[in-house]
Every structure is written in structure tokens, then in C-alpha cells.
Amino acid sequence: MNLLVLKSVAEARAWASSARVRGHRVGLVPTMGFLHEGHLSLMRAAGARAEAVAASIFVNPAQFGPNEDLARYPRDLDGDLEKCERAGVHVAFVPDVQQMYPPGAQTDVEVSELSQGLCGARRPGHFRGVATVVAKFFSVFQPHVALFGEKDFQQLQVIRKMARDLLFEVDVVGMPIIRESDGLAMSSRNSYLSAVERERARALFRGLSRAREQARQGERAGAALCETVRAELRAAEVQEDYVELVEPEGLSTVAALEPGRPARLLTAGFVGKTRLIDNLELELGR
Ligand code: AMP
């Protein structure tokens, strides 16, 4: 295997710093592992933008709530390392919790406003955990470029803001959502779904797609577009967590689409016990 597997912050820091000294651009893809094509698309895109590519595989306890799935989050380190290597990653960073959170750690990073609504409102502390661990990765690797999926759209905006506010010199790049052939957004959590639930899970993308079509046909009202998604969720017995139309950067609610101003329609829902999220850009047609 050509892939270098590093477990300590010190080794990761040394690798990134020697890459920079050699004049290489450093690209970083943070993940929680159980890798799928969505993750691999980020890694390949990193390879197109940087000569030295690192991917982190770290299930970050700080971003899980007390009643969430930290203990049973799916893991497959051997499979992940093979996939990283095939995707052209040079270094897999697989720290344990003590490496990322030194004993007695007291410091968190909080992106105050962007973290409040949507998933942030339903998962208190989630984005504090995300912003904190990503800030640590940025501190260790000092990457020139870091890639994140639009699948986690609020997370992407939170990280952009965190990087700007904390003066990290990193280009935060958002990448398109990779989907299964029937439209379901790829997610490590899809592995929780039974066959019947997997079928019901299609409602998220189906609802979003119908709303996108409505917008193309000229429907402006946020309420009507959201109701289209809700109807699909109800029909498939997916328990709505939220459906919201928002302005893409500040994530504030959009009451009505306006010509030339794309908005983002975001949803989260429970299929059985599994919480899934998805989103789509909407643009007014005609
Ligand atoms: P995770 O392992 O779930 O923390 O995800 C790691 C990174 O992969 C995040 O930037 C996610 O947004 C991204 N990602 C997850 N699923 C997808 C997908 N289906 N398409 C594109 N990016 C994704």
C-alpha cells in the first residue's frame, strides 16, 4: 500500500509541513469513515487541486448528541483505507479521541448564528462539535484547500464561516451531492435502513425534485414548495424533522423565490429511527 496511515497529530503536522516545504499544495477531506462514492468524489477532487492529499477518518464524539448513534455509527477502517488509496489519497489520518481532544480540553468553536436553525435547532451542540474538530484539522494540516459535500449544506456554510472568522488560509470548496441511481443521497447512515425503509427513504429526493419542478414551472411561494416535500414525506411515512427554503449563504428563510436568485430547499426526516437529510437548489423558471 502506498497510502500512509498516520495516527498522531504530531505525525500529521510533520507530513503536511514537509509537503508545504516541498512546494506542494495540501488538500484535506475530513470524514467520519464508512466511505462511499460521495466521500471518494471529494478525495478525487482534492487530487485535482492539490499535490498532497490527506483524508481524515474520525468519528467525532463532540458532534453527537447523548441520544444519537455514536456507539453504533458504522465503521470499516480496512475497507476505508483501501478506498482512500484507490481515490488517490496520500495520507489517511486516523486519530483516536485523545489525539483530537487532549485530556482536560476546554475549548470549543461556535459559529453562533449559522448553527442555530435547521439541523442545529434539532441537534443542539452538533455544529459546535463539527466546527471545533474541523478547526483542529485545519490547525494540524494547514491545508490550502479543504473539500466538503453539499449533502451537509448547513455544515458547509458553518465551516466556511468558521474558516473566515478564525483567519484560516484555506479555500473551502463545496462539492455536489452524489446520489444512488434512484436519487437517494449517499450517506453512511443509509446502511441502517431495512429494505422497506430504503424504499421509503426515496421520498426525500422525490419531494425535493417535485418542488424543483414546480419552481421551474413558476411556483414562487416557499410555503407551497415546502408543502410539496411534506406531502411526499407523509405519503412514505417519513417523519418530517424540517422542510425549509433558505437563502444559501446566511440560511435565512426565503418566503418566495425571485428571478435570478437561487434558493436552497433543505429537508430532514426520520425513516424509522434513521435520520436522513437532503437538499436541492431551486431556481424560478419562466
Ligand atoms: P461524513 O463522513 O458523513 O462526515 O461526511 C464527510 C464529508 O463527505 C462531508 O463533507 C460530507 O458532506 C461529504 N458527503 C457525505 N455524503 C455525501 C454525498 N452523498 N455526496 C457528496 N458529499 C458527501
Side-chain angles (χ1 to χ4, degrees), residues 140-159:
V140 172
F141 286 93
Q142 296 178 41
H144 297 82
V145 57
L147 295 93
F148 297 86
E150 289 180 346
K151 157 90 191 325
D152 301 272
F153 195 78
Q154 186 176 14
Q155 167 175 286
L156 171 63
Q157 302 309 335
V158 164
I159 290 166

Side-chain angles (χ1 to χ4, degrees), residues 71-137:
R72 64 183 191 115
Y73 195 82
R75 292 163 207 249
D76 175 21
L77 184 57
D78 291 344
D80 285 350
L81 296 178
E82 272 176 37
K83 288 174 188 164
C84 283
E85 167 139 44
R86 272 189 269 130
V89 169
H90 302 108
V91 155
F93 180 46
V94 289
D96 62 19
V97 174
Q98 286 72 30
Q99 284 290 317
M100 295 310 295
Y101 297 93
Q106 300 187 9
T107 307
D108 286 314
V109 176
E110 176 125 24
V111 179
S112 50
E113 284 176 32
L114 281 176
S115 300
Q116 273 173 23
L118 303 162
C119 287
R122 280 94 188 162
R123 304 184 67 190
H126 170 66
F127 289 116
R128 187 189 314 125
V130 169
T132 301
V133 83
V134 174
K136 288 171 188 243
F137 289 137

Side-chain angles (χ1 to χ4, degrees), residues 30-32 36 38-39 42 148-149 151-152 155 176-178 186:
T31 82
M32 297 206 300
H36 51 65
H39 298 114
L42 304 183
F148 297 86
K151 157 90 191 325
D152 301 272
Q155 167 175 286
I177 302 174
I178 305 296
M186 288 193 183

Side-chain angles (χ1 to χ4, degrees), residues 17-36:
S17 118
S18 87
R20 275 194 307 277
V21 167
R22 275 180 279 136
H24 291 171
R25 284 171 59 81
V26 175
L28 177 67
V29 178
T31 82
M32 297 206 300
F34 211 69
L35 302 177
H36 51 65

Side-chain angles (χ1 to χ4, degrees), residues 88-270:
V89 169
H90 302 108
V91 155
F93 180 46
V94 289
D96 62 19
V97 174
Q98 286 72 30
Q99 284 290 317
M100 295 310 295
Y101 297 93
Q106 300 187 9
T107 307
D108 286 314
V109 176
E110 176 125 24
V111 179
S112 50
E113 284 176 32
L114 281 176
S115 300
Q116 273 173 23
L118 303 162
C119 287
R122 280 94 188 162
R123 304 184 67 190
H126 170 66
F127 289 116
R128 187 189 314 125
V130 169
T132 301
V133 83
V134 174
K136 288 171 188 243
F137 289 137
F138 285 178
S139 157
V140 172
F141 286 93
Q142 296 178 41
H144 297 82
V145 57
L147 295 93
F148 297 86
E150 289 180 346
K151 157 90 191 325
D152 301 272
F153 195 78
Q154 186 176 14
Q155 167 175 286
L156 171 63
Q157 302 309 335
V158 164
I159 290 166
R160 283 193 201 286
K161 184 69 86 189
M162 177 278 288
R164 247 184 259 133
D165 291 355
L166 295 184
L167 314 179
F168 282 113
E169 257 194 302
V170 56
D171 186 11
V172 174
V173 175
M175 297 295 294
I177 302 174
I178 305 296
R179 300 179 177 282
E180 303 287 356
S181 54
D182 65 358
L184 179 68
M186 288 193 183
S187 164
S188 307
R189 290 188 167 101
N190 291 349
S191 64
Y192 296 148
L193 302 171
S194 69
V196 174
E197 289 173 338
R198 170 67 184 75
E199 194 56 31
R200 286 164 51 206
R202 300 172 67 178
L204 282 84
F205 182 65
R206 196 163 54 229
L208 294 170
S209 303
R210 295 216 162 135
R212 178 174 58 185
E213 197 44 45
Q214 266 187 310
R216 283 184 181 148
Q217 306 286 329
E219 176 62 69
R220 293 169 174 246
L225 295 163
C226 289
E227 178 47 35
T228 294
V229 180
R230 290 197 174 103
E232 289 297 330
L233 298 183
R234 275 196 304 272
E237 292 175 43
V238 174
Q239 168 83 47
E240 175 194 336
D241 202 11
Y242 64 78
V243 181
E244 284 187 46
L245 184 68
V246 302
E247 169 278 308
E249 277 179 23
L251 305 179
S252 54
T253 304
V254 168
L257 287 175
E258 285 172 36
R261 288 180 68 177
R264 206 90 188 183
L265 186 56
L266 288 85
T267 186
F270 287 91

